[in-house]
Amino acid sequence: MSFHSVSEFHSLKTRLGERLQEATSLYAHENTLLPLNRAALHQMSTDLDHTAGELLMFGCDVWPESARGDENDMTVETTPSETDPPRLSAALFWSIVALGVTLPVSALLYHFIGGGNYWAITFGIVTIAMLFGSVHGLLHTGISYSLNNFFVIGSPLAFSQPTKIEIGMAIGSITLAVVLPWLARHAPTWRVALPSPAWHRTK
């Protein structure tokens, strides 16, 4: 393995990313495609520098110093800044945070305004679904509406018969928890597949 400092590895990634853009631009020209729109690359589902880093590490065996571990340990570690916390632990933590914010807001809206409380809950559900996916979003939906029914709606500290509005908003929240992450995953592909606006082609 070839190890480099973090700054050197970052520089290698950046230069390789620029080369990838140049190669793509040349390929587009040779195949009579629209010119490469570099400003639109921020829409990529995977960052270009990250892709370049993957090519360097797994294709050229070039690694940042932070990946160097025990010489007898063949397990390769990524840099701490590139390592995400365990997904389940992160989802649980942020779900608790979301509940800690949305439930009090829901209670205040319900008791002082008489409406709008479900939108606070829906905001928390959408946030969790977009961060961690539909499964976590659906779990958060069930927990949020159960706690809202128990603490806020009807008699305090007791479950009450769900109202039509509560059922309707729960169905809407479930739909958002399923559909929005799916749309977010597929949006970059659809944006690339759609024809470029005329003002892009004139640049």
Side-chain angles (χ1 to χ4, degrees):
M1 290 184 180
S2 173
F3 291 99
H4 299 264
S5 68
V6 173
S7 60
E8 288 174 341
F9 187 75
H10 179 73
S11 178
L12 288 170
K13 285 197 306 183
T14 301
R15 294 203 302 270
L16 180 56
E18 292 171 353
R19 289 288 185 90
L20 290 173
Q21 292 183 65
E22 292 172 3
T24 304
S25 182
L26 179 60
Y27 179 84
H29 177 73
E30 292 173 347
N31 290 273
T32 62
L33 304 175
L34 291 173
L36 174 66
N37 183 6
R38 296 172 187 250
L41 295 182
H42 71 279
Q43 301 176 94
M44 292 175 59
S45 57
T46 304
D47 183 76
L48 187 58
D49 276 1
H50 180 74
T51 301
E54 297 276 296
L55 284 170
L56 288 170
M57 290 186 291
F58 300 108
C60 303
D61 215 15
V62 173
W63 299 82
E65 279 289 347
S66 52
R68 189 193 299 273
D70 190 340
E71 293 181 358
N72 297 321
D73 184 4
M74 299 304 293
T75 302
V76 176
E77 299 178 356
T78 57
T79 59
S81 61
E82 296 173 354
T83 304
D84 294 326
R87 189 178 183 85
L88 183 59
S89 299
L92 178 61
F93 172 77
W94 287 110
S95 289
I96 293 172
V97 171
L99 289 170
V101 173
T102 58
L103 283 178
V105 172
S106 173
L108 290 173
L109 291 172
Y110 181 75
H111 288 293
F112 290 101
I113 299 178
N117 53 307
Y118 293 113
W119 293 110
I121 296 173
T122 301
F123 178 81
I125 292 167
V126 169
T127 300
I128 296 300
M130 293 298 290
L131 287 175
F132 302 104
S134 295
V135 173
H136 293 290
L138 291 172
L139 289 173
H140 191 78
T141 301
I143 295 170
S144 294
Y145 276 90
S146 297
L147 293 178
N148 187 67
N149 184 285
F150 187 78
F151 288 106
V152 180
I153 304 299
S155 301
L157 304 180
F159 288 106
S160 59
Q161 182 72 24
T163 64
K164 290 182 178 179
I165 294 177
E166 189 173 4
I167 294 172
M169 290 300 297
I171 293 173
S173 296
I174 290 171
T175 303
L176 291 174
V178 172
V179 172
L180 288 182
W182 181 81
L183 285 175
R185 286 196 304 272
H186 291 83
T189 303
W190 293 339
R191 284 196 294 265
V192 171
L194 290 173
S196 298
W199 67 272
H200 274 173
R201 292 194 289 268
T202 57
K203 289 186 176 182

